[in-house]
Amino acid sequence: RSTLFPYTTLFRSLELRKERSGAVRIGNYGIESPIFFAPLAGITDASTRSIASKMGASLTYSEMISAKGLVYNNKNTESLLYIREDEGPVAFQIFGHEPDFIKEATEMLLERKNVLIDLNMGCPVPKIVKNGEGAALMKNVKLVYDIVKAAVYGCHGKKPVTVKMRKGFDDDNINAVEVAKACEAAGASAVTVHGRTRMQYYSGKADWNIIREVKNSLKIPVIGNGDIFCGEDGFRMMKETGCDGIMVARGALGNPWIFRDFQCMLKGEDVPEPPKIEEIFNMMLIHLEMLIEEKGEKRAVFEMRKHVGWYMKGRPHATEIRRKVNRITSEVELRQLLKEAGEDIDKQPKIEI
């Protein structure tokens, strides 16, 4: 198969030179700059992470991985551990509520290519919470301590352990500071705080004040998360909270350029113009090719449906393109549609205001 849009050329042309001035040290590992791509279930596979990394994310996270699934050698779990040769640094995020399984899972990951292990204590999904995992752990600070301690012990000092948490479980239980202190006491090398409670899910406005409170209470690095939808949001979060780094989640869906923009702001450079429509369609073709390499044609074409929706959000003819993409089942058809749609949109008359 010939590559119409070789991504290596495109990414090299960005000339993203990450500088050491914004470096963050997490345990024994140094990260070049303070912008991370969050773990997102069903989204942050190797292909999506690789694009984020090439666009400027200094650390990307896997989809969350079940500690029990690892220990029991679940075949679906293994696919979540795949790291591309051309990826930047990757963190594996695991979840569970039993310290023994957490310890064994971390030991199993020591020889993998990941640079650190992150513990999920923020997932709000009902089936996870009902099992006492994810955000449910914030209701049991003692268990939080035991889980982090088990993970640190399982790593034997070879890889840092970090924790991603929320503001609290609900408005009556805002305990991020207490939970973060327990994580630090148990040996965590950094914590990430999402400024929403579990009951908020992703609604309402993220509370950046709680990020600042956690930062002021700990000695280890604190990463801020929540409501970062452009480079300026990330820069503002760091200024307002004093956090050591930022983690972008939904703001990067269909918009990997957010990492480039933040890097430019961090270095005091002018932020480039938003991507032109042909750049967006080129990126979709790049994403498609990476997914095919990783997962095969059938699954890649199916998964590109959601990515096309994100890339096209707010763009001309988005509804029509999404409708067509959702009926396509082959790589050839999808490539042709994206190529033709990009050319047709670019030919539309530009309106002067």
Side-chain angles (χ1 to χ4, degrees):
R1 182 180 70 249
S2 63
T3 305
L4 294 176
F5 299 91
Y7 57 82
T8 51
T9 302
L10 178 64
F11 290 134
R12 283 171 186 160
S13 70
L14 295 171
E15 296 182 351
L16 290 173
R17 300 175 303 276
K18 299 172 186 174
E19 297 182 350
R20 290 286 175 181
S21 59
V24 180
R25 177 156 291 278
I26 295 179
N28 57 10
Y29 187 77
I31 299 168
E32 291 182 325
S33 61
I35 181 164
F36 308 154
F37 185 25
L40 294 167
I43 298 171
T44 51
D45 51 32
S47 300
T48 307
R49 295 194 309 262
S50 184
I51 289 174
S53 177
K54 288 173 169 59
M55 293 300 294
S58 290
L59 179 67
T60 65
Y61 288 68
S62 70
E63 302 172 56
M64 65 180 191
I65 299 162
S66 166
K68 272 190 175 179
L70 271 174
V71 173
Y72 290 140
N73 295 311
N74 180 281
K75 64 179 181 179
N76 294 326
T77 300
E78 180 61 31
S79 65
L80 300 177
L81 302 175
Y82 173 66
I83 295 178
R84 291 176 60 100
E85 291 296 327
D86 60 353
E87 279 193 72
V90 176
F92 283 154
Q93 186 187 71
I94 63 174
F95 72 95
H97 68 281
E98 296 162 287
D100 288 344
F101 279 103
I102 293 291
K103 173 183 173 293
E104 190 170 348
T106 56
E107 287 177 327
M108 293 174 68
L109 296 175
L110 288 182
E111 302 307 317
R112 296 278 183 162
K113 294 180 181 178
N114 61 304
V115 299
L116 60 82
I117 292 171
D118 187 68
L119 301 173
N120 184 307
M121 298 188 183
C123 179
V125 175
K127 69 178 182 179
I128 299 295
V129 171
K130 287 179 182 178
N131 202 38
E133 299 167 336
L137 290 169
M138 297 202 68
K139 297 190 291 183
N140 189 336
V141 180
K142 174 63 168 60
L143 182 56
V144 166
Y145 178 91
D146 291 342
I147 286 174
V148 175
K149 195 76 174 176
V152 171
Y153 187 80
C155 283
H156 303 288
K158 294 181 179 179
K159 292 182 180 179
V161 172
T162 62
V163 179
K164 188 171 188 293
M165 67 181 68
R166 285 185 169 242
K167 175 181 178 179
F169 191 81
D170 53 35
D171 287 340
D172 294 324
N173 295 278
I174 307 299
N175 63 342
V177 172
E178 182 184 8
V179 171
K181 285 182 175 180
C183 292
E184 182 177 49
S189 295
V191 297
T192 298
V193 181
H194 181 174
R196 289 182 174 87
T197 65
R198 181 269 170 174
M199 297 306 293
Q200 282 184 275
Y201 284 76
Y202 303 100
S203 66
K205 186 177 180 181
D207 178 11
W208 290 3
N209 290 326
I210 194 69
I211 299 170
R212 184 176 62 249
E213 289 178 28
V214 173
K215 171 59 186 172
N216 291 339
S217 302
L218 303 186
K219 295 179 180 178
I220 59 175
V222 174
I223 313 302
N225 174 230
D227 290 351
I228 302 175
F229 295 103
C230 63
E232 185 176 19
D233 288 340
F235 200 67
R236 185 165 53 86
M237 176 185 276
M238 291 192 72
K239 289 179 65 177
E240 291 183 9
T241 69
C243 64
D244 301 279
I246 61 165
M247 183 177 285
V248 184
R250 292 175 296 155
L253 299 183
N255 182 30
W257 295 272
I258 190 172
F259 300 109
R260 173 201 66 183
D261 293 350
F262 179 81
Q263 291 284 4
C264 288
M265 294 190 71
L266 189 66
K267 293 183 280 187
E269 299 174 355
D270 292 336
V271 175
E273 291 293 319
K276 296 179 180 179
I277 196 69
E278 59 265 30
E279 293 180 72
I280 295 168
F281 277 90
N282 281 1
M283 188 65 82
M284 283 191 268
L285 286 164
I286 289 165
H287 206 149
L288 172 63
E289 178 158 326
M290 286 183 164
L291 282 173
I292 290 171
E293 290 175 1
E294 180 183 349
K295 303 180 180 183
E297 178 182 356
K298 183 177 180 180
R299 187 172 172 190
V301 170
F302 178 78
E303 291 195 6
M304 271 304 294
R305 293 176 179 178
K306 61 190 176 189
H307 288 290
V308 170
W310 290 319
Y311 280 114
M312 289 303 299
K313 186 176 181 180
R315 313 290 182 187
H317 310 290
T319 301
E320 180 185 354
I321 291 170
R322 285 199 302 268
R323 178 174 55 80
K324 290 180 178 179
V325 167
N326 288 340
R327 295 201 300 263
I328 285 175
T329 58
S330 76
E331 171 194 357
V332 173
E333 290 178 293
L334 184 51
R335 282 182 178 278
Q336 189 64 25
L337 171 64
L338 293 177
K339 187 173 182 296
E340 291 177 355
E343 291 172 351
D344 289 344
I345 291 174
D346 197 42
K347 291 175 184 176
Q348 296 294 317
K350 304 298 187 293
I351 300 174
E352 298 291 339
I353 297 179

